[in-house]
Amino acid sequence: MSAHKAQTTSGALKQAESLCSSRGTRLTEKRKQVLTGLLESQKALSAYELTAYCRNHLGSELPAMSVYRILEFLEGESLVHRLDLAKKYVACSHILCEHKHELPQFLICKACYKVQEISIKKSLIDSLNQSVEGASFRLASQQLEFDCFCEDCYE
Amino acid sequence: MSAHKAQTTSGALKQAESLCSSRGTRLTEKRKQVLTGLLESQKALSAYELTAYCRNHLGSELPAMSVYRILEFLEGESLVHRLDLAKKYVACSHILCEHKHELPQFLICKACYKVQEISIKKSLIDSLNQSVEGASFRLASQQLEFDCFCEDCYE
DNA sequence: AAACGTTATGTTATAGTATATCATCTTCTT
DNA sequence: AAGAAGATGATATACTATAACATAACGTTT
């Protein structure tokens, strides 16, 4: 149903590494670990859940403070998105895409933190922007997040 | 520019009190204090900011835990809205309105926490719902919140 | 008015998210 | 090999939030 193929962890890691090196930044071992955790997870994870992932699945101790810094780095490289509403983080689902990314919107399941990255029609975004500007405000980002329930978690 | 008159604190308090008594609940002194804080503020406040408000402006010590409980009560009475994105709270701007409230949407200034309560066109909400359902998700609430900048805080 | 149940508030403890600061260690460059 | 820049470790701390239990206020019944 999604518009692009699901990305494999190894493929995305490889692409992420070449992306970083083309920008003169480094995808270090620890950074790979955090990104791996997010790529392998089917849901959004918190910084502290990522330290647990590293400990339990990779046998690597990574303090939460380091995870926060690494997440900040990965977000700067557009490899990871921070979800304000959920206070959690997800891997960008378009790491493997060649084309320029449109701004994503996120549907976040309030119950299980499964996340779906969608692209809302431009016309919808435009009229939303109009409503907002009518109130003398401006959207801080076109990356919108919506609290949802996924189909497994409907009440 | 807004669709309804700005509500005065005293008027809203009176209306809130009669609303509560018609429902068999009580708008106690402490609850009035918290509601007053939100009505007087031009922006969203956190629970801890409300304890400070009570101490500094009303000379009343109100522990944060009580504020949380009171906010929960006020939200149940539809007198206050909790803003997940901002992790803060605002007074409903329609306490004085007679008519049934539509579900509100909130524009929250990321910089100063000024909040504008708007009503987005039903057609827009409908097509948003369609997009969301297309991804097999469902909006958890039609009360939407958007991170914005207000006109004073544009970069 | 006294006793009782209900509601409201106080108090303490604790969890989760997040940032700041300073120290140490790695890596790259010269 | 030395030094600078970048990355990570370690510690402290702030803010948001909830849980659990104790006490106080209020309302009703008798």
Side-chain angles (χ1 to χ4, degrees), chain A residues 20-54:
Chain A
C20 283
S21 78
S22 81
R23 290 177 195 153
T25 60
R26 280 182 293 160
L27 192 65
T28 63
E29 203 47 47
K30 308 275 181 187
R31 287 169 176 172
K32 262 189 219 169
Q33 289 172 9
V34 170
L35 184 53
T36 299
L38 292 176
L39 285 166
E40 292 279 303
S41 171
Q42 291 312 297
K43 60 198 191 83
L45 298 177
S46 72
Y48 287 83
E49 287 168 336
L50 279 163
T51 75
Y53 176 87
C54 289

Short mmCIF file of all heavy atoms in Angstrom, two decimals, chain A residues 20-54:
data_model
loop_
_atom_site.label_atom_id
_atom_site.label_comp_id
_atom_site.label_asym_id
_atom_site.label_seq_id
_atom_site.Cartn_x
_atom_site.Cartn_y
_atom_site.Cartn_z
N CYS A 20 26.35 10.54 4.47
CA CYS A 20 27.16 11.28 5.45
C CYS A 20 28.53 11.62 4.86
O CYS A 20 28.99 12.76 4.97
CB CYS A 20 27.33 10.46 6.72
SG CYS A 20 25.86 10.46 7.77
N SER A 21 29.16 10.63 4.25
CA SER A 21 30.52 10.90 3.80
C SER A 21 30.49 11.93 2.67
O SER A 21 31.41 12.74 2.54
CB SER A 21 31.22 9.62 3.37
OG SER A 21 30.77 9.22 2.10
N SER A 22 29.43 11.94 1.89
CA SER A 22 29.33 12.96 0.84
C SER A 22 29.15 14.35 1.43
O SER A 22 29.39 15.35 0.78
CB SER A 22 28.18 12.63 -0.12
OG SER A 22 26.95 13.04 0.44
N ARG A 23 28.72 14.39 2.69
CA ARG A 23 28.54 15.69 3.33
C ARG A 23 29.69 16.01 4.27
O ARG A 23 29.66 17.00 5.00
CB ARG A 23 27.24 15.70 4.13
CG ARG A 23 26.00 15.68 3.28
CD ARG A 23 24.78 15.60 4.18
NE ARG A 23 23.60 15.22 3.45
CZ ARG A 23 22.56 14.58 3.99
NH1 ARG A 23 22.57 14.27 5.26
NH2 ARG A 23 21.52 14.26 3.24
N GLY A 24 30.66 15.14 4.33
CA GLY A 24 31.79 15.38 5.22
C GLY A 24 31.49 15.12 6.68
O GLY A 24 32.19 15.61 7.56
N THR A 25 30.45 14.36 6.96
CA THR A 25 30.18 13.97 8.35
C THR A 25 30.42 12.47 8.46
O THR A 25 30.53 11.77 7.46
CB THR A 25 28.75 14.30 8.77
OG1 THR A 25 27.83 13.61 7.91
CG2 THR A 25 28.48 15.79 8.66
N ARG A 26 30.47 11.99 9.71
CA ARG A 26 30.82 10.59 9.90
C ARG A 26 29.68 9.80 10.53
O ARG A 26 29.13 10.21 11.55
CB ARG A 26 32.06 10.48 10.80
CG ARG A 26 33.35 10.72 10.05
CD ARG A 26 34.53 10.54 10.98
NE ARG A 26 34.57 11.58 12.01
CZ ARG A 26 35.24 11.47 13.16
NH1 ARG A 26 35.91 10.37 13.41
NH2 ARG A 26 35.24 12.44 14.03
N LEU A 27 29.35 8.69 9.94
CA LEU A 27 28.38 7.79 10.56
C LEU A 27 29.16 6.78 11.38
O LEU A 27 29.49 5.69 10.92
CB LEU A 27 27.54 7.10 9.48
CG LEU A 27 26.30 6.36 10.00
CD1 LEU A 27 25.30 7.32 10.60
CD2 LEU A 27 25.65 5.54 8.90
N THR A 28 29.42 7.16 12.62
CA THR A 28 30.26 6.32 13.48
C THR A 28 29.53 5.06 13.90
O THR A 28 28.33 4.89 13.63
CB THR A 28 30.65 7.08 14.75
OG1 THR A 28 29.45 7.37 15.48
CG2 THR A 28 31.34 8.39 14.42
N GLU A 29 30.27 4.19 14.59
CA GLU A 29 29.69 2.93 15.06
C GLU A 29 28.48 3.17 15.96
O GLU A 29 27.43 2.56 15.78
CB GLU A 29 30.78 2.15 15.82
CG GLU A 29 30.54 0.66 15.89
CD GLU A 29 30.16 0.06 14.54
OE1 GLU A 29 30.83 0.35 13.51
OE2 GLU A 29 29.15 -0.68 14.51
N LYS A 30 28.63 4.06 16.93
CA LYS A 30 27.52 4.35 17.85
C LYS A 30 26.33 4.92 17.09
O LYS A 30 25.18 4.60 17.37
CB LYS A 30 27.98 5.36 18.91
CG LYS A 30 29.25 4.98 19.62
CD LYS A 30 28.96 4.06 20.79
CE LYS A 30 30.25 3.70 21.53
NZ LYS A 30 30.01 2.70 22.56
N ARG A 31 26.60 5.78 16.16
CA ARG A 31 25.51 6.38 15.39
C ARG A 31 24.81 5.33 14.55
O ARG A 31 23.59 5.35 14.40
CB ARG A 31 26.07 7.51 14.50
CG ARG A 31 26.44 8.74 15.30
CD ARG A 31 27.24 9.75 14.49
NE ARG A 31 27.48 10.96 15.30
CZ ARG A 31 28.27 11.95 14.92
NH1 ARG A 31 28.91 11.91 13.76
NH2 ARG A 31 28.43 13.00 15.71
N LYS A 32 25.60 4.40 14.04
CA LYS A 32 24.99 3.29 13.30
C LYS A 32 24.09 2.47 14.22
O LYS A 32 23.03 2.00 13.81
CB LYS A 32 26.09 2.38 12.74
CG LYS A 32 26.44 2.64 11.29
CD LYS A 32 27.38 1.53 10.78
CE LYS A 32 28.42 2.13 9.86
NZ LYS A 32 29.50 1.17 9.55
N GLN A 33 24.55 2.27 15.45
CA GLN A 33 23.75 1.47 16.38
C GLN A 33 22.38 2.09 16.62
O GLN A 33 21.35 1.40 16.61
CB GLN A 33 24.51 1.31 17.70
CG GLN A 33 25.73 0.40 17.59
CD GLN A 33 26.58 0.41 18.85
OE1 GLN A 33 26.20 0.97 19.87
NE2 GLN A 33 27.75 -0.21 18.79
N VAL A 34 22.40 3.40 16.85
CA VAL A 34 21.13 4.07 17.11
C VAL A 34 20.23 4.01 15.87
O VAL A 34 19.03 3.68 15.96
CB VAL A 34 21.37 5.54 17.53
CG1 VAL A 34 20.06 6.31 17.57
CG2 VAL A 34 22.06 5.58 18.89
N LEU A 35 20.80 4.29 14.73
CA LEU A 35 20.02 4.24 13.50
C LEU A 35 19.48 2.83 13.26
O LEU A 35 18.32 2.65 12.85
CB LEU A 35 20.87 4.71 12.32
CG LEU A 35 20.17 4.82 10.97
CD1 LEU A 35 18.90 5.66 11.05
CD2 LEU A 35 21.13 5.38 9.92
N THR A 36 20.31 1.84 13.54
CA THR A 36 19.87 0.45 13.40
C THR A 36 18.66 0.17 14.28
O THR A 36 17.68 -0.45 13.85
CB THR A 36 21.01 -0.51 13.76
OG1 THR A 36 22.11 -0.30 12.88
CG2 THR A 36 20.55 -1.97 13.64
N GLY A 37 18.75 0.62 15.51
CA GLY A 37 17.62 0.42 16.42
C GLY A 37 16.33 0.97 15.85
O GLY A 37 15.28 0.33 15.91
N LEU A 38 16.41 2.15 15.27
CA LEU A 38 15.19 2.76 14.72
C LEU A 38 14.76 2.06 13.45
O LEU A 38 13.56 1.91 13.19
CB LEU A 38 15.42 4.25 14.48
CG LEU A 38 15.60 5.08 15.74
CD1 LEU A 38 15.90 6.53 15.41
CD2 LEU A 38 14.34 4.99 16.61
N LEU A 39 15.72 1.65 12.64
CA LEU A 39 15.35 0.96 11.39
C LEU A 39 14.70 -0.39 11.67
O LEU A 39 13.77 -0.81 10.98
CB LEU A 39 16.60 0.78 10.52
CG LEU A 39 17.11 2.03 9.81
CD1 LEU A 39 18.52 1.81 9.28
CD2 LEU A 39 16.18 2.45 8.69
N GLU A 40 15.20 -1.07 12.69
CA GLU A 40 14.68 -2.40 13.00
C GLU A 40 13.33 -2.34 13.70
O GLU A 40 12.56 -3.29 13.65
CB GLU A 40 15.67 -3.15 13.90
CG GLU A 40 16.97 -3.50 13.22
CD GLU A 40 16.85 -4.76 12.36
OE1 GLU A 40 16.46 -5.80 12.89
OE2 GLU A 40 17.13 -4.67 11.14
N SER A 41 13.08 -1.24 14.37
CA SER A 41 11.83 -1.13 15.13
C SER A 41 10.67 -0.78 14.20
O SER A 41 10.82 0.01 13.27
CB SER A 41 11.97 -0.06 16.20
OG SER A 41 10.71 0.19 16.80
N GLN A 42 9.54 -1.38 14.49
CA GLN A 42 8.35 -1.02 13.70
C GLN A 42 7.62 0.14 14.32
O GLN A 42 6.55 0.53 13.87
CB GLN A 42 7.41 -2.23 13.59
CG GLN A 42 7.95 -3.36 12.75
CD GLN A 42 8.50 -2.89 11.41
OE1 GLN A 42 7.78 -2.35 10.58
NE2 GLN A 42 9.82 -3.06 11.21
N LYS A 43 8.21 0.71 15.37
CA LYS A 43 7.51 1.81 16.02
C LYS A 43 8.51 2.86 16.48
O LYS A 43 9.73 2.64 16.43
CB LYS A 43 6.70 1.30 17.20
CG LYS A 43 7.51 0.61 18.27
CD LYS A 43 6.62 -0.23 19.17
CE LYS A 43 7.36 -0.71 20.40
NZ LYS A 43 7.40 0.27 21.48
N ALA A 44 7.97 3.98 16.94
CA ALA A 44 8.82 5.05 17.43
C ALA A 44 9.43 4.67 18.76
O ALA A 44 8.79 4.01 19.58
CB ALA A 44 8.00 6.34 17.57
N LEU A 45 10.66 5.06 18.99
CA LEU A 45 11.36 4.73 20.23
C LEU A 45 11.85 6.01 20.90
O LEU A 45 12.21 6.98 20.24
CB LEU A 45 12.57 3.83 19.94
CG LEU A 45 12.29 2.46 19.32
CD1 LEU A 45 13.60 1.74 19.03
CD2 LEU A 45 11.41 1.62 20.23
N SER A 46 11.88 5.96 22.23
CA SER A 46 12.44 7.08 22.97
C SER A 46 13.95 6.91 23.09
O SER A 46 14.49 5.83 22.84
CB SER A 46 11.82 7.15 24.37
OG SER A 46 12.33 6.10 25.16
N ALA A 47 14.62 7.96 23.48
CA ALA A 47 16.06 7.90 23.65
C ALA A 47 16.44 6.79 24.64
O ALA A 47 17.38 6.03 24.40
CB ALA A 47 16.59 9.24 24.15
N TYR A 48 15.67 6.69 25.71
CA TYR A 48 15.99 5.69 26.72
C TYR A 48 15.71 4.28 26.21
O TYR A 48 16.41 3.33 26.55
CB TYR A 48 15.25 5.99 28.02
CG TYR A 48 15.82 7.19 28.75
CD1 TYR A 48 15.45 8.49 28.40
CD2 TYR A 48 16.76 7.03 29.76
CE1 TYR A 48 15.99 9.59 29.06
CE2 TYR A 48 17.30 8.11 30.42
CZ TYR A 48 16.91 9.40 30.07
OH TYR A 48 17.46 10.48 30.71
N GLU A 49 14.69 4.14 25.39
CA GLU A 49 14.43 2.83 24.79
C GLU A 49 15.56 2.45 23.85
O GLU A 49 15.87 1.26 23.67
CB GLU A 49 13.09 2.85 24.04
CG GLU A 49 11.88 2.86 24.98
CD GLU A 49 10.57 3.16 24.27
OE1 GLU A 49 10.58 3.81 23.20
OE2 GLU A 49 9.52 2.78 24.80
N LEU A 50 16.19 3.43 23.25
CA LEU A 50 17.29 3.12 22.35
C LEU A 50 18.53 2.67 23.11
O LEU A 50 19.28 1.82 22.64
CB LEU A 50 17.60 4.33 21.47
CG LEU A 50 16.65 4.46 20.27
CD1 LEU A 50 16.68 5.85 19.67
CD2 LEU A 50 16.97 3.41 19.21
N THR A 51 18.77 3.23 24.30
CA THR A 51 19.88 2.71 25.09
C THR A 51 19.60 1.25 25.46
O THR A 51 20.51 0.42 25.44
CB THR A 51 20.12 3.51 26.39
OG1 THR A 51 19.13 3.18 27.35
CG2 THR A 51 20.13 5.00 26.13
N ALA A 52 18.34 0.94 25.77
CA ALA A 52 17.99 -0.44 26.08
C ALA A 52 18.19 -1.33 24.86
O ALA A 52 18.69 -2.45 24.98
CB ALA A 52 16.54 -0.52 26.57
N TYR A 53 17.82 -0.83 23.69
CA TYR A 53 18.02 -1.61 22.47
C TYR A 53 19.49 -1.93 22.27
O TYR A 53 19.85 -3.07 21.97
CB TYR A 53 17.47 -0.85 21.26
CG TYR A 53 17.74 -1.59 19.96
CD1 TYR A 53 16.87 -2.55 19.49
CD2 TYR A 53 18.90 -1.33 19.23
CE1 TYR A 53 17.13 -3.25 18.32
CE2 TYR A 53 19.18 -2.02 18.06
CZ TYR A 53 18.29 -2.98 17.61
OH TYR A 53 18.57 -3.67 16.46
N CYS A 54 20.34 -0.94 22.43
CA CYS A 54 21.77 -1.16 22.23
C CYS A 54 22.30 -2.18 23.22
O CYS A 54 23.09 -3.05 22.87
CB CYS A 54 22.53 0.16 22.38
SG CYS A 54 22.24 1.29 21.00
#
